[in-house]
Amino acid sequence: MTHTRDSCAARDEADPLRGARDRFSLPPGMIYLDGNSLGVLPRGVSERVAHVVAAEWGEGLISSWNTAGWIDLPARVGARIAPLIGAQGHEVIAADSTSVNLFKLAAAGARLQRPRRAVVTEPGNFPTDLYILQGLEGWLGGEIEVRVVGRDQLMDALDEDVALLVLTQVHYKTGALHDMAALTARAHAVGALALWDLSHSAGALPVDLNGVGADLAVGCGYKFLNGGPGAPAFMFVAGRWQDKIATPLSGWMGHAEPFAFHDQYQPAPGIRRLLTGTPPVLGLSVLEAALSAFADVSMAAVRTKSMALGDLFLDLVEARLPGAGFEIACPRDANARGSQVSLRHPDGYAIIQALIERGVVGDFRSPDILRFGLTPLYVGYADIWDAVDRLCAVMATGLWQESRFHVRAAVT
Ligand SMILES: *Cc1c(COP(=O)(O)O)cnc(C)c1O
């Protein structure tokens, strides 16, 4: 199908999610294709933060732990994330970072399956996922053995030695989507548990944790959930495991009676035992307010549009940039892709910097990946047309060759 800017604008007119853009505060003129790295600011968040700071903290002070419900924020925010990932409200809790939550749930999940030792993951998984597993392997002195297995061999690698499968559903570089149902079923068939990292899934596509029988999951609050820089992350523990699981970070907020101040640790019933220290009230308040952007949003509609935006982007790159040195680095089939598209180019870093200067924000992942996140709540079809149009201009004019675009910043 031949796309034009007019045909893209017509698709925006007919888009059932069109109105959702008003739920966000976007800088005028910017086409933001990086919501898979840091989501944009939802409307209402600034007001909520101002209220939490001035009224709840400034005036309510210590009493706000009770009167403003601060103490319940981890469970309340978890319950709001739950419907986005196919979980029950009491199966999700918001806390800490994804890395810390991975540490807790990987240690806990592996221990549930003792004396099995193998923890299976894949090479090229998000670095922190690999580093946390490597660290655990070192600390647990032989209790676990990490097996890093290529994508195509994962099904076969799941055998009776395996305690835990730890995978990220959507690959952060390529956007490739794992078959969560098939891999979880295979893990269960050999007596292993499945721990899914939903950092690039939650808020990006429909996830059905209970539908596939997943055991454990973690995910990120600041990407597609728009919870702001360094937002708290979340954990999912299937109901059947909640009273069997033990956390390796047994802090007071996970105690059965934190305000009894007992000397002896005793885990709280349910998922609250996964909490460690005092909840970050400001961050959780932001995340809670940000989740309002998903009110009445059909994740099926988000997925349909996300797939269409990705296909449009790739169609346009193929049609308009042949011979520019780009290679498609994500699955061409939308069903096999998360909510991003990726291109490969040897000068990817400089090209992305030049594109950002032209008002199209994507990002770069070493060594040669250009990433474009697709967030259907605030990105439209004409935005994709304009983004590729500006990419064409950056290539045609050779703008990216200017030396200022080659200086690497600390964060790419
Ligand atoms: C973004 C991301 C993380 C982030 O972890 P932090 O602890 O928040 O830094 C972890 N895993 C995956 C797969 C991610 O994409």
Side-chain angles (χ1 to χ4, degrees):
M1 146 181 197
T2 316
H3 306 287
T4 61
R5 193 171 192 293
D6 283 348
S7 73
C8 291
R11 292 173 84 180
D12 283 330
E13 288 291 322
D15 172 13
L17 292 175
R18 190 170 163 227
R21 191 183 184 112
D22 294 337
R23 297 179 179 192
F24 298 90
S25 172
L26 276 156
M30 180 190 286
I31 299 174
Y32 192 71
L33 303 180
D34 215 1
N36 53 335
S37 199
L38 178 64
V40 307
L41 173 64
R43 290 196 199 279
V45 166
S46 304
E47 292 80 358
R48 173 71 186 275
V49 176
H51 178 77
V52 172
V53 170
E56 295 181 11
W57 177 19
E59 292 167 27
L61 283 167
I62 194 79
S63 67
S64 288
W65 281 106
N66 294 310
T67 56
W70 286 352
I71 198 69
D72 301 321
L73 272 167
R76 213 161 68 220
V77 173
R80 284 190 82 152
I81 295 171
L84 299 175
I85 56 175
Q88 305 261 326
H90 69 279
E91 292 176 313
V92 184
I93 201 157
D96 302 312
S97 63
T98 306
S99 302
V100 171
N101 291 337
L102 258 169
F103 178 88
K104 291 189 281 193
L105 289 188
R111 184 151 292 193
L112 279 171
Q113 301 303 92
R114 267 195 308 195
R116 290 178 179 224
R117 297 173 58 241
V119 175
V120 171
T121 189
E122 65 172 324
N125 196 349
F126 191 80
T128 210
D129 299 55
L130 294 170
Y131 302 161
I132 289 287
L133 294 180
Q134 290 161 15
L136 263 182
E137 186 176 39
W139 278 98
L140 291 179
E143 188 180 316
I144 71 165
E145 177 211 327
V146 178
R147 293 187 186 166
V148 183
V149 179
R151 267 191 173 230
D152 301 341
Q153 283 92 51
L154 280 167
M155 287 297 243
D156 292 337
L158 291 169
D159 61 26
E160 317 270 311
D161 297 342
V162 178
L164 190 63
L165 173 66
V166 182
L167 290 175
T168 303
Q169 187 192 12
V170 177
H171 195 278
Y172 76 106
K173 272 189 189 168
T174 66
L177 186 63
H178 274 302
D179 185 341
M180 187 189 267
L183 283 157
T184 302
R186 172 73 192 158
H188 289 172
V190 299
L193 304 186
L195 163 51
W196 289 97
D197 186 333
L198 304 179
S199 289
H200 289 274
S201 311
L205 43 95
V207 177
D208 193 5
L209 286 172
N210 283 327
V212 306
D215 301 286
L216 307 167
V218 296
C220 191
Y222 50 80
K223 292 173 180 157
F224 291 90
L225 297 181
N226 310 306
F234 65 86
M235 284 172 276
F236 159 87
V237 177
R240 63 186 175 280
W241 294 117
Q242 291 195 357
D243 289 328
K244 300 194 176 70
I245 204 162
T247 177
L249 296 176
S250 46
W252 72 309
M253 282 294 148
H255 192 280
E257 296 178 277
F259 291 92
F261 296 100
H262 294 303
D263 279 357
Q264 193 56 42
Y265 175 77
Q266 202 200 326
I271 198 167
R272 198 168 62 74
R273 68 181 53 187
L274 269 309
L275 295 182
T276 303
T278 303
V281 169
L282 296 178
L284 285 167
S285 299
V286 168
L287 179 54
E288 183 174 47
L291 288 166
S292 300
F294 284 93
D296 307 318
V297 165
S298 149
M299 287 308 295
V302 168
R303 178 67 174 152
T304 302
K305 182 175 170 188
S306 153
M307 291 163 77
L309 292 174
D311 286 343
L312 172 64
F313 193 110
L314 298 175
D315 287 351
L316 290 171
V317 167
E318 283 173 347
R320 300 190 58 194
L321 286 160
F326 290 105
E327 217 180 279
I328 291 175
C330 56
R332 192 66 180 86
D333 173 9
N335 290 298
R337 214 169 52 220
S339 203
Q340 70 176 64
V341 291
S342 311
L343 305 176
R344 197 170 270 128
H345 193 290
D347 296 301
Y349 183 80
I351 293 167
I352 280 284
Q353 300 318 307
L355 195 56
I356 291 170
E357 198 187 77
R358 286 290 175 268
V360 179
V361 181
D363 65 19
F364 173 77
R365 287 295 173 263
S366 188
D368 58 359
I369 299 267
L370 300 90
R371 270 195 333 177
F372 302 95
L374 306 169
T375 46
L377 296 185
Y378 55 83
V379 170
Y381 297 92
D383 292 328
I384 299 296
W385 173 276
D386 292 341
V388 177
D389 198 49
R390 291 185 211 173
L391 180 58
C392 291
V394 161
M395 300 313 289
T397 58
L399 178 69
W400 63 273
Q401 291 172 345
E402 293 182 19
S403 59
R404 67 201 152 109
F405 298 125
H406 294 255
V407 182
R408 298 259 173 145
V411 175
T412 61

